[in-house]
Amino acid sequence: MESFLLQAAIYLGAGVVAVLIAHRLGLGSVLGYLLAGIAIAPLLELVGSHTEDVQHFAEFGVVIMMFLVGLELQPRLLWDMRVRLIGLGGMQVAVTGLTLAGALALGMDWRVAIALGMILSLSSTAIVLQTLGEKGWLRSEGGQSAFSVLLFQDVAVIPMLALMPLLAVSTGTGEMPMSSAQLLAEGADAPAADLSLIMHLPAWGQALLTLGAVALVILVGRYLTRPVFRAIGRTGLHEIFFAASLLLVISTALLMGWVGLSAALGTFLAGVVLADSEYRHELVSVLEPFKGLLLGVFFITVGAGMQFSLLAQTPGLILGLVLALILVKGVILWGLTLVFGIRGHARWLFTFSLAQSGEFGFVLLTYAVGVQVLPDHIANITGLVVALSMMATPLVMIVFERWVSPHVSARSGPSRPADLIDEAAPVIIAGMGRFGQIVQRLLVMDGHRPVVLDNSPAHIEVMRKFGIQVYYGDALRPGLLEAAGIAKARLLIVATDSQDRAVELVQHVKQRFPHVRIIARAASREHVYQLRAAGADSAIRELFGSSLEAGRQALEFLGRSPSQAERKTRAFAEHDEESLRQLFEVWDADTDVFDNTAYMEKAHSRVVSLAELMADDAEERLES
C-alpha cells in the first residue's frame, strides 16, 4: 500500500509541477506531462515502479476520451463526415504506410518494412485531440479532418493486428510462428484484444458475433441507459451517476475487446449513440476530470519509458529518423489536402497536427515482437522514434500556432473576392454574428441603415435570406473600409469574433481615421483593456448585459421588489464600470495581472468597496 501511495505521489506531483511550468511558458499540458515523465524516470527506477504496468492502466484515458468525443458528435454529423472518414483516413493510412515501407525496404527485409510502415503510419489520438481541444481547433475544418483520420486509424489497428502474424519471419527452429489466437491462448503479453469469445468460431460466426456486439451497444445506449440514468437521478447521489458512467464505458470496452474490436472504437460508438441524450452534459462533466487525469499519467509514462541510453549511443540516427518521419508524413498529409480540397488555415493545421506517430504504435510494436515480426533491436529503435515524435508534437504545434498560422492567415486572404460596396453610411458594423445582428436590428428600427461587413459566407447567406444586406470581406483588408465609407463615417461597431483581430482593427482605424468613434465587442475584462489601449471609445463585454439581467431576475425571485432589484443592479453596473476605469490605469499589457501587484491591490480594494456599497444600500432600505 505504501509503495502504491509513493508512486501515486511521484506521478501526480511531477505532473502538477511540470504542467504549471509548461502552461506558464505556453508549451501546453501534453509537453508538460512528457517532460515530467523524463524528469522522474530515475526516481521511478529507484522505487521499483514499472511504467509499463501504469501505462496499460492509463491507456484507459484514451478510451474515455473517445467516449466523450462521441458524445459531441450526433449521428447526422458523423454521416456528414463519411467521405473524409473513409476516403481521407483510408488514403492517409495506405499512402503513408506504403511510402514508409517502400523506403525502409531498401535496407531491410520487406516484411519488416511493411510492419514498420503500418506502425509509423498511425498518429497520436491522445495528443492530437488533447491539443486541438485545448486550442479550440477541434470543431474547425482542419480539426474535423484530423479527427476523421484519427478515427479511421483506430479502426485500422484491428486489421493491422490480424496481418502481423502473416509477416512473421522464420523462428529458426523449423516451427511456424504463433498466430494471434495461439499467442493469446498461451498467455503471451500481447496487447491485442482478448479474442476468447470468437477465436474458435468460423469466419461467418466471428462476423455475426461482432455485428451482434455492435448492435447490443447501440440498443443499450438507445433504450436502456435513459431509464437507468433517470432512476439514478432520482436518488440525488452524484457518486452513483459517476459509477454508472464508468460502468458503461468499461462494459463497452470489455465487450468490444471480447469480439476483437478496438475498445476506443466501441466507446466512441456508445458516445455517438448517447449524443442526443438529455444526460450528455452530465456524462461529460463527471468523466472529463477522470479522462484528463488518466491521459496525464499516460503521457508521463511515455516520457519515463523513453530509452535515452539508446539515444546517447546513436543520437544522429535516432534524431534523423524522427525528423525524416515528421517530414515524410507532413508532405503526404499536405498532398492529401490538395486531393480533398482542404485549403488555407485548415490545410496547415491538418498537416502539422498529424505528422507524428502515436500510442497505438507501442501496441503494434509489442505485438509485432511477440509474433516474431520485428527483432528486438529494431523494435527498441522504433519505440524511441515513436516516443520522440510524440514528444515533438506539442513543439510542432507551437511552431504552427505562433509562426505558421498568422502567416497563412495574412497571406491566404478571403476565399472569394470581396463584394463591391455601392453604398455609404455614417455607421459601419464589422462582424455579423449574434452580437452584430442585435446591434444592426436596433439601429435599423431607429431609422439608420448601417453598412455591414462580414467574412463568413455562411453568415452572409443566412442574413440575405432575411433581406439583410451584408457585404463579404475582411475589414482589415486594405481598401475595404475605405470602400465602405470609413473616411466619412461617424461610428464603427467592431463585433468580430476574433479578439486579436478586433484589437488590430481598432488600432488601424484610430491611427488612420481618428475622428471615427469606435464601440467594440469584448470577450473579457482583459480584452476590454486591450481594446481601450488600442483606442476604442467603448468596449462592451458580450455577456455582461445578459448576466446583469439574470442577476436582476434572481434578486426578484429571492424576494426583492422590482425597484430594489433594479437599483442594486444599476449600482453594481456603475461600480463595475468605475472599477474597469481604475484598473485600466494600472494594467500592464506585458505583465500577467496576477503578477501585477498594483493591479491586484486595486482589484481587492474595489471588491471591498463593492461590499460596502451593497451594505450601505441595505441599511438605507431598512431605515426607509
Side-chain angles (χ1 to χ4, degrees):
M1 183 64 180
E2 291 183 359
S3 175
F4 169 78
L5 293 177
L6 177 60
Q7 293 181 48
I10 294 173
Y11 277 101
L12 296 177
V16 169
V17 173
V19 170
L20 286 175
I21 295 175
H23 181 72
R24 172 58 65 88
L25 298 177
L27 302 179
S29 63
V30 174
L31 185 56
Y33 286 126
L34 291 170
L35 294 174
I38 295 172
I40 66 172
L43 184 59
L44 293 176
E45 292 182 3
L46 186 64
V47 299
S49 174
H50 300 288
T51 57
E52 293 83 2
D53 297 335
V54 178
Q55 190 173 31
H56 291 159
F57 168 73
E59 284 173 356
F60 187 60
V62 180
V63 174
I64 297 181
M65 178 182 67
M66 294 304 295
F67 177 72
L68 295 177
V69 169
L71 284 174
E72 298 297 326
L73 288 176
Q74 297 177 347
R76 178 183 58 81
L77 297 177
L78 195 60
W79 175 253
D80 292 340
M81 294 168 55
R82 65 190 183 280
V83 174
R84 291 185 178 179
L85 179 64
I86 300 174
L88 183 59
M91 285 191 65
Q92 185 277 326
V93 172
V95 174
T96 305
L98 291 174
T99 301
L100 294 173
L104 294 170
L106 299 176
M108 60 180 60
D109 185 278
W110 65 270
R111 291 165 294 188
V112 174
I114 291 177
L116 292 176
M118 290 191 296
I119 292 169
L120 297 175
S121 67
L122 304 177
S123 303
S124 176
T125 300
I127 289 182
V128 174
L129 292 187
Q130 181 88 349
T131 303
L132 294 179
E134 286 181 355
K135 301 296 183 181
W137 294 331
L138 187 56
R139 291 187 175 274
S140 67
E141 181 188 2
Q144 289 295 289
S145 298
F147 171 72
S148 299
V149 171
L150 292 169
L151 182 57
F152 184 89
Q153 289 178 357
D154 290 342
V155 179
V157 170
I158 302 165
M160 288 180 183
L161 288 169
L163 287 173
M164 281 296 180
L166 304 179
L167 299 173
V169 297
S170 173
T171 62
T173 62
E175 299 179 357
M176 292 296 293
M178 290 186 290
S179 66
S180 304
Q182 290 171 331
L183 184 67
L184 290 163
E186 292 293 331
D189 184 22
D194 184 356
L195 307 179
S196 58
L197 290 182
I198 67 172
M199 60 183 293
H200 299 300
L201 296 177
W204 64 267
Q206 295 181 14
L208 188 62
L209 191 58
T210 300
L211 291 175
V214 172
L216 180 61
V217 170
I218 295 175
L219 291 174
V220 169
R222 178 67 66 182
Y223 300 108
L224 184 60
T225 56
R226 282 178 171 85
V228 170
F229 284 135
R230 192 177 300 117
I232 293 174
R234 295 193 189 101
T235 67
L237 299 175
H238 188 73
E239 63 273 16
I240 301 299
F241 194 96
F242 175 63
S245 304
L246 276 183
L247 177 63
L248 174 63
V249 175
I250 294 172
S251 300
T252 304
L254 283 174
L255 179 61
M256 293 296 104
W258 285 339
V259 298
L261 293 178
S262 165
L265 174 64
T267 52
F268 171 79
L269 176 62
V272 171
V273 173
L274 290 170
D276 294 324
S277 168
E278 62 270 28
Y279 298 101
R280 177 171 66 90
H281 296 292
E282 184 71 12
L283 286 168
V284 172
S285 66
V286 299
L287 291 178
E288 184 71 32
F290 195 64
K291 179 265 294 185
L293 176 62
L294 288 179
L295 282 180
V297 175
F298 170 77
F299 294 132
I300 292 175
T301 61
V302 171
M306 296 177 65
Q307 300 184 27
F308 284 99
S309 58
L310 187 60
L311 177 61
Q313 295 172 11
T314 55
L317 173 65
I318 301 297
L319 295 179
L321 288 174
V322 173
L323 181 61
L325 173 64
I326 294 175
L327 290 176
V328 169
K329 293 190 72 172
V331 170
I332 294 172
L333 291 164
W334 194 86
L336 289 175
T337 63
L338 299 179
V339 176
F340 285 85
I342 304 173
R343 299 182 177 87
H345 184 275
R347 169 180 294 171
W348 293 99
L349 175 60
F350 176 78
T351 300
F352 272 73
S353 63
L354 297 177
Q356 80 289 106
S357 191
E359 56 276 351
F360 280 115
F362 297 117
V363 174
L364 291 173
L365 268 175
T366 307
Y367 186 58
V369 173
V371 296
Q372 300 163 0
V373 176
L374 296 179
D376 289 339
H377 69 282
I378 292 180
N380 290 336
I381 292 176
T382 306
L384 186 56
V385 169
V386 169
L388 286 173
S389 72
M390 291 173 64
M391 184 176 175
T393 301
L395 297 175
V396 171
M397 295 305 294
I398 289 173
V399 172
F400 167 78
E401 182 180 15
R402 295 187 178 179
W403 290 285
V404 177
S405 180
H407 181 71
V408 171
S409 299
R411 291 288 300 275
S412 61
S415 58
R416 78 182 203 192
D419 292 337
L420 295 176
I421 303 176
D422 55 4
E423 62 176 315
V427 180
I428 299 174
I429 300 177
M432 199 54 175
R434 292 169 296 178
F435 190 98
Q437 290 174 30
I438 294 174
V439 175
Q440 187 268 349
R441 289 166 59 190
L442 181 59
L443 292 175
V444 170
M445 288 177 60
D446 195 47
H448 303 280
R449 185 180 175 86
V451 174
V452 183
L453 309 175
D454 198 284
N455 60 358
S456 170
H459 283 168
I460 292 174
E461 293 305 318
V462 172
M463 292 300 103
R464 287 179 177 174
K465 288 179 181 179
F466 287 96
I468 301 174
Q469 178 61 53
V470 182
Y471 294 99
Y472 177 82
D474 185 351
L476 282 172
R477 187 182 179 192
L480 186 66
L481 279 176
E482 285 82 349
I486 189 68
K488 297 181 179 180
R490 297 171 52 199
L491 177 64
L492 171 66
I493 310 293
V494 179
T496 180
D497 292 334
S498 172
Q499 298 183 34
D500 294 336
R501 295 182 69 79
V503 173
E504 187 178 353
L505 178 58
V506 169
Q507 194 169 33
H508 168 75
V509 172
K510 274 300 181 181
Q511 288 176 351
R512 297 195 59 188
F513 308 99
H515 69 280
V516 177
R517 294 185 62 83
I518 299 177
I519 300 174
R521 165 189 180 183
S524 63
R525 300 180 76 92
E526 184 81 8
H527 197 206
V528 170
Y529 303 148
Q530 294 170 355
L531 290 167
R532 289 190 175 179
D537 297 281
S538 178
I540 309 298
R541 282 167 287 169
E542 53 191 0
L543 295 179
F544 186 69
S546 56
S547 301
L548 276 180
E549 176 60 20
R552 187 192 64 77
Q553 293 186 22
L555 290 175
E556 287 189 28
F557 181 81
L558 294 172
R560 298 287 184 247
S561 67
S563 60
Q564 291 171 343
E566 178 65 29
R567 186 176 67 251
K568 279 187 171 292
T569 302
R570 186 170 59 252
F572 178 90
E574 293 172 353
H575 182 275
D576 191 78
E577 182 62 29
E578 177 63 19
S579 296
L580 277 175
R581 187 190 64 77
Q582 294 187 20
L583 290 171
F584 176 63
E585 295 175 356
V586 294
W587 172 73
D588 184 355
D590 298 324
T591 304
D592 188 282
V593 293
F594 296 108
D595 295 330
N596 186 333
T597 303
Y599 183 95
M600 294 303 295
E601 290 178 352
K602 178 66 70 174
H604 285 304
S605 69
R606 295 302 298 174
V607 171
V608 173
S609 67
L610 177 62
E612 293 173 349
L613 176 65
M614 292 296 137
D616 292 342
D617 180 78
E619 290 178 2
E620 292 176 5
R621 181 167 42 82
L622 288 174
E623 292 174 358
S624 60

